Amino acid sequence: MRYTTAGESHGRALVAVLTDVPAGVPVDRVAIDDDLARRQRGYGRGGRMAIEHDSATVLSGIRFGRTLGSPVALLIENRDAPNWHEAMDPWGTGEGVERVTAPRPGHADLPGCQRTGSADARDILERASARETAARVAAGAVAKALLAELGVTVRSWVERIGPSTTGPLAPEAVDGAVVEESDVRCPDPQVADAMRAAIDAARSDGESLGGVFAVTADGLVPGIGGYAEATARLDARLAAAVMSVPAIKGVEIGDGFACACRPGSAVHDEIVLDARGVLRRSTNRAGGIEGGMTNGEPLVLRAAMKPIPTLMRPLATVDLATGEVADAARERSDVCAVPAAAVVAEAEVALVLADAYQDLLGRGCLADMQRALDAYRARIAW
Ligand code: EPS
């Protein structure tokens, strides 16, 4: 399955369209809206989150709670839109609407204006805004529904916000219920306190903060992805998908960058037969991927998010209208959106995994995919 989205941050609505969706997948509307709510939560979010109560309306592709095999279109209304009617009017003249001409360092503002020839960074920032990721989360919830039927679950947690970190955690050491209760998605309550304090300090300093989150998937069969073609490699597909989330500057799988400074014997995971006679690994430094394919261990992916570029104590810029030195534009924004980005990355990971499962098991309907999965498991035998 593949998706595209449409919508500006302060336009009427966001839309996600998913194509190549297998028929017969049970989809729970509550699960979609739960994921949308999880994306909205998080200590350090801005005023917009008090306005929005994101909920997906199904426009097509789902009937009686099951996918039809036709494109699934999902609509999320922007409750803030009426406050921006003049600024975003598709048919207005724009007269009297203030332009954004002081591009923010680190934002899409300047390269976007250069690319498009626009003299108003609002033309760019409306779409570059992470508001768009709500549509991705709705699409990702459909991918998660397919994966659940294939025995795969995707979850996330936050390991670092600014200076406060737990260090890397293994999936089995992370209690999912604790993460879901935490407003910073951190499983360690003491580190979570330090994260909140760091966000408070950043807010009062007019600063913003980034961090590191982990996404993991359990229940994967070996061999998902591919080694024969560059475009089939699962690690490459996952990295591209997660890097497409605004503000993500780095992605690693398993021990990632740390592997570069260890000898091979301290990097690779020995192959063992477990008590049930299943081929496993004694460790999971590879993060569940070898040679561009799953190896049957949990997928472990980490991503680094930079601090949001909108600063209430702004950096210097050049005003595009006057050529004069200026303070960068201030827009209402978040101090920290790392917990939200983790939920968005879950969606991206789910969409890639669902598509890679379809590559192996077929694309027509869920029942055929499940039969193919049973046969595949039986053939692997161990
Ligand atoms: C966001 C909505 C936005 C911001 C944030 C993410 O709302 P507004 O711009 O109306 O305050 O809170 O946007 C950004 C971080 C960004 O880079 O633009 C959301 O729904 O996630």
Side-chain angles (χ1 to χ4, degrees):
M1 61 176 73
R2 285 175 298 281
Y3 80 91
T4 191
T5 73
E8 277 78 42
S9 180
H10 304 103
R12 282 189 56 184
L14 302 165
V15 179
V17 179
L18 266 165
T19 54
D20 203 11
V21 181
V25 178
V27 181
D28 179 359
R29 72 197 295 182
V30 175
I32 303 178
D33 286 354
D34 271 0
D35 268 1
L36 289 170
R38 290 168 69 235
R39 191 201 75 93
Q40 283 202 265
R41 279 199 284 274
Y43 201 78
R45 298 285 262 157
R48 178 77 181 270
M49 292 305 108
I51 300 170
E52 302 298 341
H53 298 285
D54 292 339
S55 174
T57 301
V58 174
L59 301 181
S60 70
I62 297 177
R63 184 167 184 244
F64 306 142
R66 285 184 183 265
T67 57
L68 292 172
S70 48
V72 174
L74 302 164
L75 178 131
I76 301 160
E77 283 186 46
N78 288 324
R79 290 173 61 148
D80 201 19
N83 303 321
W84 293 77
H85 177 68
E86 276 206 347
M88 297 303 296
D89 187 352
W91 308 118
T93 60
E95 234 171 87
V97 175
E98 206 184 325
R99 289 189 297 156
V100 179
T101 58
R104 291 160 290 178
H107 205 276
D109 296 346
L110 179 55
C113 283
Q114 288 169 322
R115 177 180 164 82
T116 62
S118 174
D120 180 359
R122 180 157 305 285
D123 289 344
I124 316 305
L125 69 88
E126 282 292 332
R127 179 64 181 161
S129 165
R131 174 80 191 141
E132 179 263 349
T133 61
R136 302 192 197 193
V137 167
V142 177
K144 284 181 183 178
L146 169 61
L147 291 174
E149 298 300 316
L150 304 173
V152 177
T153 50
V154 180
R155 61 199 175 97
S156 69
W157 61 87
V158 171
E159 290 181 346
R160 170 186 282 273
I161 288 181
S164 319
T165 181
T166 63
L169 299 168
E172 59 276 14
V174 176
D175 183 330
V178 175
V179 170
E180 294 309 321
E181 274 166 30
S182 164
D183 57 6
V184 283
R185 298 193 68 69
C186 177
D188 181 325
Q190 268 179 331
V191 177
D193 283 345
M195 288 173 171
R196 280 184 219 102
I199 292 168
D200 288 342
R203 191 189 295 280
S204 52
D205 289 349
E207 277 288 1
S208 58
L209 284 181
V212 173
F213 58 79
V215 180
T216 185
D218 292 305
L220 297 160
V221 288
I224 300 298
Y227 61 91
E229 306 292 339
T231 51
R233 288 187 167 259
L234 190 64
D235 37 8
R237 290 156 78 176
L238 288 166
V242 175
M243 283 288 271
S244 79
V245 178
I248 301 303
K249 299 301 280 183
V251 177
E252 67 174 11
I253 312 274
D255 285 1
F257 276 73
C259 295
C261 47
R262 292 188 210 141
S265 60
V267 168
H268 300 296
D269 305 304
E270 286 186 316
I271 300 168
V272 293
L273 273 176
D274 75 5
R276 291 175 300 144
V278 177
L279 283 173
R280 296 290 309 265
R281 304 305 160 107
S282 53
T283 50
N284 188 20
R285 298 157 181 155
I289 298 188
E290 287 172 312
M293 295 163 290
T294 53
N295 65 6
E297 299 300 325
L299 167 71
V300 183
L301 175 151
R302 288 188 175 78
M305 184 183 196
K306 70 180 179 181
I308 285 168
T310 308
L311 300 177
M312 292 307 144
R313 206 181 55 196
L315 293 174
T317 190
V318 173
D319 192 307
L320 301 179
T322 63
E324 303 288 328
V325 172
D327 282 346
R330 269 169 284 206
E331 285 262 326
R332 178 184 60 193
S333 187
D334 306 324
V335 176
C336 175
V338 178
V343 176
V344 178
E346 278 179 26
E348 288 290 346
V349 166
L351 286 155
V352 169
L353 291 177
D355 195 52
Y357 261 89
Q358 287 180 282
D359 290 342
L360 188 76
L361 305 176
R363 296 184 171 268
C365 75
L366 174 64
D368 285 352
M369 290 183 76
Q370 286 172 322
R371 272 190 285 275
L373 181 61
D374 290 343
Y376 184 74
R377 280 210 176 95
R379 177 175 67 71
I380 290 177
W382 46 14

